[in-house]
Amino acid sequence: MVHASPFRGPSGSGGPLSAAALGTGTSSVLDETLEPVYQEVLARNPGELEFHQAVREVLESLGPVVAKHPEYAEAAIIERLCEPERQIIFRVPWTDDSGQVRINRGFRVQFNSALGPFKGGIRFHPSVYLGIIKFLGFEQIFKNALSGMPIGGGKGGSDFNPRGRSNAEVMRFCQSFMTELHRHVGEYTDVPAGDTGVGEREIGYMFGQYKRIANSYESGVLTGKGLGIGGARVRREATGYGTVIFVEEMLKAKGTSLDGRRGVVSGSGNVAIYAIEKAAQLGGTCVACSDSDGIVVDEAGIDLELLKQVKEVERGRLTSYAERRGSARYIEDGRIWEVPCDVALPCATQNELNHADAMALARNGCVVVAEGANMPTTPDGVRVLMDAGVLFAPGKAANAGGVATSALEMQQNASRDSWSFAQSEEKLAEIMRAIHERCADTAAEYGSPGNYVAGANIAGFKQVADAMLALGVI
Ligand code: NDP
Ligand code: 2IT
């Protein structure tokens, strides 16, 4: 189903947008040794604009690294990093409730396994095409390295739109998807998890089908499972919690905190809900969130119990939240980044915060932007925020808590163990503090103190590059 979107990035309409629409037109100059690598990526992957954007964003940080380490160029590390190890595209046939046979396209891009088995989520959204899965898989390589866990990078998904589909339809779709995917995944090969449109319900159906085909209760083949079928405590909360813990670390480094701060969060899915929850636990108040139809502004602070009821239990829309909450206003097609805030957390989708949005945030006194979503800020948006002195946390650092906790789930599955909520949450906090420190230290070491984009890209890249060197030309 095609629906109106308040975001200027890809919405429900499917397929790529132009570079101008993505806000990727005004890039800074690349290092002269990296420009030909980028041109080759453009030529080899035509039309995959989000993938081009994600590659360019990393390459823009790597000038000082390749200058200091000629061994990376000699071994063609960057060229190899930009080419996925394996890309799988498959037909997903299923039958809807009226008996009509439907066809979707499934993807799994196994991008890089230098650090461990491919690891990354599965996205179900009508906008999914190869360029989206490749940008997500590429980002995942560096994010997973930053997490400090032994996991490589991959991503999968389908252009299936779960919106409006019955439970039985979602189940049949997931079973058909896994019927093909099962031969490509495994505890030591590739371990998918959730992403947009894929949560505990979908992971449960996919695990059920995997278990049936493989005749093996191989819990470690998927993460994000429900607690009753081998899932880990805090996985559901991990991405949102981790993003806010990262924000708290950034503010702490500036001698301040989240306490008493006003937040605005885009999206109202898994990441957004638990970002709002952790912000409240740390003394902040989130006053707005969104879905792809509109925004809710609730000056009394978002009522989390009601939001969870509407989104997690009823799988409803934000209009339903607004109808039941006296202090809330619903604005159809509203611009969330125009709501004044100290802390902005884009937690919906790629390219949802553009140049004009960044200008509005800076003008309204925003002090920190942290990406709960993957690549939600356009390149020119990032530049506006940084030039205005707004603290900026890129997704591959800020939202790494989700995949890190997935790796903790793998660890618990492998040892047939189950940790308490408190123990798991403390581990997540430790990991986020370590990622923050690593990004900050690396940025300073390479001459860009305070630049978390450079810090994340360089630290993640170096770890993967060194592993690739050690593994030889494969
Ligand atoms: P959910 O499906 O739970 O929620 C997504 C939210 O964002 C919904 O409110 C949805 O609105 C909105 N949204 C998503 N895609 C679009 C789009 N193309 N156009 C307009 N609105 C959109 O997903 P998650 O919360 O899990 O994921 C959100 C972001 O966080 C994604 O970028 C994902 O890659 C990233 N992420 C997720 C992790 C995880 O563990 N789940 C880990 C790290 C990053 P609507 O309901 O109207 O579609
Ligand atoms: O973007 C992401 O990091 C995720 N969707 C989570 C991946 C995972 O394997 O937990």
Side-chain angles (χ1 to χ4, degrees), residues 139-447:
E139 292 263 302
Q140 200 82 45
I141 303 169
F142 308 101
K143 182 197 303 191
N144 292 4
L146 283 174
S147 77
M149 310 302 284
I151 42 180
K155 202 82 184 192
S158 174
D159 56 2
F160 173 68
N161 186 358
R163 192 164 161 185
R165 289 289 165 204
S166 71
N167 205 47
E169 288 176 319
V170 169
M171 182 177 72
R172 287 194 294 274
F173 179 82
C174 289
Q175 290 174 339
S176 181
F177 187 85
M178 184 50 87
T179 299
E180 171 59 31
L181 192 67
H182 91 277
R183 67 188 92 247
H184 308 291
V185 296
E187 189 181 356
Y188 297 104
T189 311
D190 183 356
V191 184
D195 193 80
T196 304
V198 177
E200 280 166 40
R201 175 182 63 169
E202 291 73 18
I203 292 293
Y205 293 150
M206 285 192 259
F207 181 51
Q209 184 73 349
Y210 180 87
K211 183 180 92 55
R212 185 182 190 194
I213 294 172
N215 189 30
S216 164
Y217 207 107
E218 190 185 328
S219 308
V221 72
L222 286 168
T223 62
K225 302 178 293 296
L227 278 182
I229 53 170
R233 291 187 180 80
V234 184
R235 178 61 189 91
R236 185 191 295 181
E237 295 83 0
T239 312
Y241 275 24
T243 301
V244 173
I245 294 168
F246 196 93
V247 168
E248 186 73 339
E249 288 299 299
M250 292 167 95
L251 291 171
K252 200 162 87 189
K254 292 280 178 196
T256 176
S257 77
L258 261 170
D259 193 28
R261 301 270 188 189
R262 184 181 152 98
V264 163
V265 179
S266 65
S268 48
N270 173 262
V271 180
I273 288 173
Y274 292 95
I276 295 170
E277 182 163 291
K278 179 51 77 183
Q281 289 170 6
L282 295 176
T285 306
C286 290
V287 296
C289 63
S290 63
D291 61 24
S292 56
D293 297 329
I295 72 173
V296 154
V297 182
D298 189 341
E299 288 294 341
I302 300 288
D303 177 339
L304 255 177
E305 287 322 302
L306 179 57
L307 186 63
K308 286 184 188 176
Q309 174 65 27
V310 169
K311 301 305 290 190
E312 293 185 338
V313 180
E314 299 168 16
R315 297 180 183 276
R317 309 298 300 163
L318 280 179
T319 42
S320 175
Y321 175 96
E323 280 158 17
R324 285 137 85 174
R325 175 87 168 156
S327 53
R329 268 184 309 137
Y330 180 77
I331 310 170
E332 199 177 330
D333 285 344
R335 305 279 325 153
I336 188 128
W337 308 122
E338 281 166 13
V339 180
C341 64
D342 304 309
V343 178
L345 304 175
C347 296
T349 193
Q350 61 279 349
N351 292 318
E352 54 158 311
L353 196 167
N354 64 16
H355 184 273
D357 299 323
M359 300 276 280
L361 285 168
R363 191 171 57 240
N364 288 331
C366 176
V367 292
V368 45
V369 174
E371 297 186 324
N374 286 308
M375 206 170 75
T377 318
T378 60
D380 51 5
V382 176
R383 269 187 283 280
V384 166
L385 294 170
M386 286 187 160
D387 289 350
V390 177
L391 291 170
F392 180 78
K396 53 175 87 69
N399 71 41
V403 75
T405 307
S406 275
L408 300 179
E409 182 172 333
M410 291 163 72
Q411 200 173 323
Q412 290 166 77
N413 290 154
S415 58
R416 302 181 189 280
D417 202 356
S418 176
W419 307 345
S420 71
F421 194 94
Q423 186 186 359
S424 310
E425 196 183 4
E426 183 41 40
K427 192 84 190 144
L428 167 66
E430 238 174 66
I431 291 169
M432 296 314 299
R433 289 193 290 263
I435 296 173
H436 175 269
E437 195 179 321
R438 210 168 143 199
C439 292
D441 290 353
T442 307
E445 184 190 336
Y446 281 85

